[in-house]
Amino acid sequence: MVFKRRDRRSPVQIASEFVYPRGGWTRAFHYVKHRVRRLPDSPERIARGIGAGVFTAFTPFYGLHFVVAAVLARLINGNILAALSGTFFGNPLTYVPIGVVCLQTGHFLLGTQFEKGDTKGLMGKFAGAIGDLKNNLFAMFTDRVADWHGLAQFYHEVFYPYLIGGIVPGMIAGVVCYFLSLPLIRTYQQRRRDRIKAKFEEIKQLAESKADASITNPLGSAAGLNKDSSDV
């Protein structure tokens, strides 16, 4: 295969590079930034796509962020590829603060209590929800009794507060990123157009100078042609 890696990565390498890329998060950020700038679309649509992607990072739909970002970008007439790039605002370095902010905001809006620093309890709720899904899946084919207690607790204490609490900070972050990225994209695209225009002008002037030289010195051109014919 043309695009197959020469050196196959082990599962440990794949997991470690997901948490910390081989070139570092700075290099990954600059790579995404250049890809977004080179998108062939208007600055407004690209900036709207970035805002949609950043907002998606504040939602609890882990594993479906690309799908959610694409749908949101479609709804607000934003660039879908820019939205997919904007989801990288959520990464292993930012998921913890984003989750804490969303949970605190959600419990505040719902009037419930959020136990700050209750990491063990939070992980226990995740484990309980996953355990319920696994056990209830087996219950469909065995004599086990389905029990949704852990999943219901996870929904009421984690997922729903996270969903509600992520709306306000997600919208704020998305709008801020929209207004920050819009002038940068405009400037970059204008500079790129100027560079391309200058390059074409240089090629045009070079072609015109060669044409003028052939007109002003036709004997030299003819001698060159005769020399080429004699060599043949």
Side-chain angles (χ1 to χ4, degrees):
M1 294 179 65
V2 178
F3 299 104
K4 189 176 181 179
R5 293 178 61 96
R6 292 182 178 179
D7 53 336
R8 297 186 62 181
R9 297 180 299 171
S10 65
V12 177
Q13 289 177 328
I14 295 174
S16 63
E17 290 182 10
F18 174 77
V19 177
Y20 190 81
R22 181 179 300 179
W25 282 107
T26 302
R27 182 179 179 183
F29 169 76
H30 286 295
Y31 173 77
V32 174
K33 180 182 69 175
H34 288 302
R35 289 297 300 269
V36 169
R37 286 178 172 179
R38 291 176 178 271
L39 289 176
D41 208 340
S42 66
E44 291 77 14
R45 294 192 73 238
I46 295 175
R48 284 196 294 269
I50 293 174
V54 172
F55 174 83
T56 303
F58 288 79
T59 63
F61 301 106
Y62 294 105
L64 299 174
H65 277 176
F66 278 1
V67 177
V68 176
V71 172
L72 290 178
R74 184 70 175 177
L75 291 176
I76 63 176
N77 193 25
N79 187 282
I80 295 179
L81 293 179
L84 301 184
S85 301
T87 59
F88 285 95
F89 185 85
N91 55 73
L93 299 179
T94 60
Y95 278 143
V96 172
I98 288 176
V100 172
V101 170
C102 293
L103 283 173
Q104 286 182 336
T105 305
H107 281 286
F108 173 78
L109 295 176
L110 295 173
T112 54
Q113 187 69 26
F114 172 70
E115 297 295 336
K116 187 176 180 181
D118 188 13
T119 307
K120 183 177 180 181
L122 182 61
M123 297 305 295
K125 293 166 188 173
F126 270 101
I130 295 174
D132 275 1
L133 289 175
K134 181 187 69 174
N135 294 332
N136 293 334
L137 180 63
F138 285 123
M140 296 174 60
F141 306 99
T142 62
D143 296 333
R144 292 183 181 180
V145 179
D147 183 11
W148 300 97
H149 176 73
L151 191 61
Q153 184 181 16
F154 172 80
Y155 174 82
H156 291 293
E157 298 183 10
V158 178
F159 183 84
Y160 186 63
Y162 197 124
L163 179 65
I164 299 300
I167 295 176
V168 175
M171 290 184 64
I172 294 174
V175 170
V176 169
C177 289
Y178 169 82
F179 283 107
L180 288 178
S181 61
L182 182 58
L184 295 177
I185 296 171
R186 283 175 176 170
T187 303
Y188 179 85
Q189 289 187 350
Q190 185 61 43
R191 288 180 178 177
R192 192 180 182 194
R193 283 193 294 265
D194 292 340
R195 287 197 301 267
I196 295 175
K197 184 178 179 181
K199 193 171 183 178
F200 275 112
E201 290 292 335
E202 182 180 355
I203 296 173
K204 182 179 179 181
Q205 291 176 2
L206 182 61
E208 290 177 351
S209 63
K210 288 183 178 180
D212 294 339
S214 63
I215 293 174
T216 56
N217 191 12
L219 295 178
S221 301
L225 292 175
N226 293 331
K227 184 178 178 181
D228 294 338
S229 63
S230 64
D231 293 337
V232 174

